[in-house]
Amino acid sequence: MSFTKKVLFSMVTGIVVGLLINNFFIPNQLIESILINQVFHTISSIFLILLKMIVLPLIFVSIISGIISINDVNTLGRLGIKTLTLYIFTTMIAITLALFISSFVNYNIEVIDAVNNTKQVLAAEPSSNFILSLFPQNFFAALVDGNVIQVLSFAIFIGISASYIKNEIPEFVNLIDNLNKIFNKMVLIIISFTPIAVFALLAKTFSMEGLDVFIPLMKYFSIVVLVLLLHFTFTYSLLLKVFSNLDIGTFYAKLKSLIIFTFSTSSSNASIPFTLDIVTNKYGVNKSLASFSVPLGATINMDGTAIMQGCATYFLAAYYGIELELIDFIIIILTATVASIGTAGIPSAGIIMLSLILTELGIPLEGITLLLGVDRLLDMMRTSVNVSGDTCISCVVAHSENLIDIKKFNQ
Ligand code: ASP
């Protein structure tokens, strides 16, 4: 059985087992204290602890290695700034769209709140000055506190400094590359336990809360899919229309194989060779531009991930009865943009980085467990959107610089 099928299977089994327990065995002291609070809770918690354990080392190293891999910071120049600006711009549109559409959804807070008497709502820490809080006074303190955003900004600084002198420090560059490979491997190992963890956490959630949690979760899933589709169809066609005169129909028609590929890998990084091939050979983008824009996009441009993070934050805020104010929306847009830049292009990285936004807003991280059951499927779809965004922007930038073979594009 493929991994996806396994996750889907354990998802359904977890829900069914949970509902059976909820309907036929609750209240029952033994079932509640041993099966739910010990067995299910321990299995799902180990999984989460492992995910949290890897997040800081992973982003620290992947950011440094991503920045060093850009050939030369000085020569990035206009091309780099253009690509970077468009990447960040589309991510901001994506997250704004996600929040806008989510704000029309009623997740039925009362119902969820009433059944979740065990939940603790953490008070949102007042973010007195968001900009200042991005920078660590003491890097080690940031590490110990698990302050993801400060670790990220320190990593960006190291990456930029290192790329100025990368010829003098080949051992360091090698070390970072190797560490990056090791941490990515660790994530894959942890993720391989997803089926059992998904089973345990869905069985736990549904045995305690019954069907009440199912409908909001399905609503969340449908909202993410809807926003992904909207962004995929409208934002990218608009981008092509406004910034180039490339044929929109041709662009979408040629995306098919790339979408199928990214859908099955759930990884922008793993798709880089394939994306590069499509962008240069099918779309006719100049090789040297593509070899810079595609890996950069796979590392920092994650529109689909930002959409999931926006919808998830809104959903979890409703779930925990936390009211979001205007300033919170601004914080979400900024943090999700930074988080999606820091998200490694590997399966499930987006859901790990969601912890960054939730922490910033004081939303309990445990909420992530609730989303994990449907996240595998969403990961496939959002990765396809992530990579489509990289492709679209590569074409737009190439067109604006006359670095695209129009004949090849139209073929
Ligand atoms: N799987 C996504 C990617 O590789 C990242 C994520 O988990 O959102 O693009």
Side-chain angles (χ1 to χ4, degrees), residues 75 91 109 111 153 196 239 282 313 317-318 335 350 365 407:
T75 57
T91 304
I109 298 166
V111 178
S153 65
I196 171 92
L239 212 63
K282 271 197 171 177
T313 308
T335 331
L365 295 186
K407 256 196 220 140

Side-chain angles (χ1 to χ4, degrees), residues 86-374:
L86 280 176
Y87 279 158
I88 294 174
F89 176 64
T90 49
T91 304
M92 286 184 141
I93 294 184
I95 172 90
T96 310
L97 199 63
L99 290 176
F100 178 71
I101 304 234
S102 291
S103 67
F104 289 102
V105 185
N106 181 1
Y107 280 115
N108 233 352
I109 298 166
E110 293 83 4
V111 178
I112 304 169
D113 234 18
V115 293
N116 280 287
N117 42 18
T118 52
K119 227 161 259 131
Q120 288 167 10
V121 177
L122 297 181
E125 271 183 35
S127 12
S128 50
N129 189 329
F130 178 73
I131 307 272
L132 287 185
S133 70
L134 298 179
F135 304 99
Q137 282 188 36
N138 178 341
F139 171 64
F140 295 100
L143 264 185
V144 172
D145 293 344
N147 190 325
V148 183
I149 208 153
Q150 293 191 347
V151 172
L152 204 88
S153 65
F154 191 66
I156 293 175
F157 199 10
I158 296 187
I160 294 175
S161 313
S163 35
Y164 278 115
I165 49 166
K166 69 176 166 198
N167 295 333
E168 297 163 36
I169 48 165
E171 296 88 357
F172 176 80
V173 176
N174 248 336
L175 176 71
I176 289 291
D177 267 353
N178 288 337
L179 282 176
N180 197 20
K181 281 184 198 148
I182 295 173
F183 292 146
N184 280 347
K185 186 72 197 165
M186 282 172 81
V187 169
L188 291 180
I189 293 174
I190 299 171
I191 293 299
S192 68
F193 292 105
T194 305
I196 171 92
V198 161
F199 169 80
L201 56 93
L202 285 180
K204 178 184 153 205
T205 309
F206 280 86
S207 54
M208 282 163 63
E209 297 170 8
L211 254 188
D212 290 321
V213 77
F214 189 71
I215 295 157
L217 203 58
M218 281 303 106
K219 262 194 199 169
Y220 158 75
F221 181 86
S222 325
I223 294 298
V224 178
V225 175
L226 173 74
V227 184
L228 285 175
L229 275 174
L230 285 177
H231 188 71
F232 177 76
T233 38
F234 291 113
T235 311
Y236 296 146
S237 358
L238 211 68
L239 212 63
L240 288 165
K241 183 122 199 91
V242 174
F243 294 108
S244 77
N245 58 7
L246 294 169
D247 185 66
I248 297 173
T250 315
F251 172 77
Y252 283 105
K254 290 189 172 188
L255 266 186
K256 215 188 294 159
S257 56
L258 188 57
I259 287 178
I260 295 171
F261 190 81
T262 45
F263 197 84
S264 49
T265 59
S266 287
S267 165
S268 310
N269 275 3
S271 312
I272 289 176
F274 194 72
T275 318
L276 261 177
D277 179 53
I278 300 275
V279 168
T280 49
N281 293 330
K282 271 197 171 177
Y283 289 96
V285 172
N286 173 287
K287 262 211 176 95
S288 60
L289 169 60
S291 60
F292 148 76
S293 67
V294 169
L296 182 69
T299 322
I300 70 162
N301 185 42
M302 307 258 171
D303 297 356
T305 303
I307 287 172
M308 175 280 288
Q309 289 169 339
C311 295
T313 308
Y314 194 92
F315 169 69
L316 290 177
Y319 186 78
Y320 287 108
I322 296 172
E323 242 177 79
L324 297 176
E325 291 165 17
L326 186 66
I327 179 74
D328 295 321
F329 283 101
I330 297 171
I331 291 177
I332 298 174
I333 293 176
L334 292 177
T335 331
T337 308
V338 178
S340 78
I341 292 175
T343 303
I346 54 173
S348 299
I351 196 87
I352 302 176
M353 290 303 283
L354 178 63
S355 57
L356 178 70
I357 308 167
L358 299 185
T359 309
E360 195 60 37
L361 293 167
I363 298 174
L365 295 186
E366 282 63 33
I368 291 180
T369 53
L370 198 64
L371 309 179
L372 275 175
V374 290

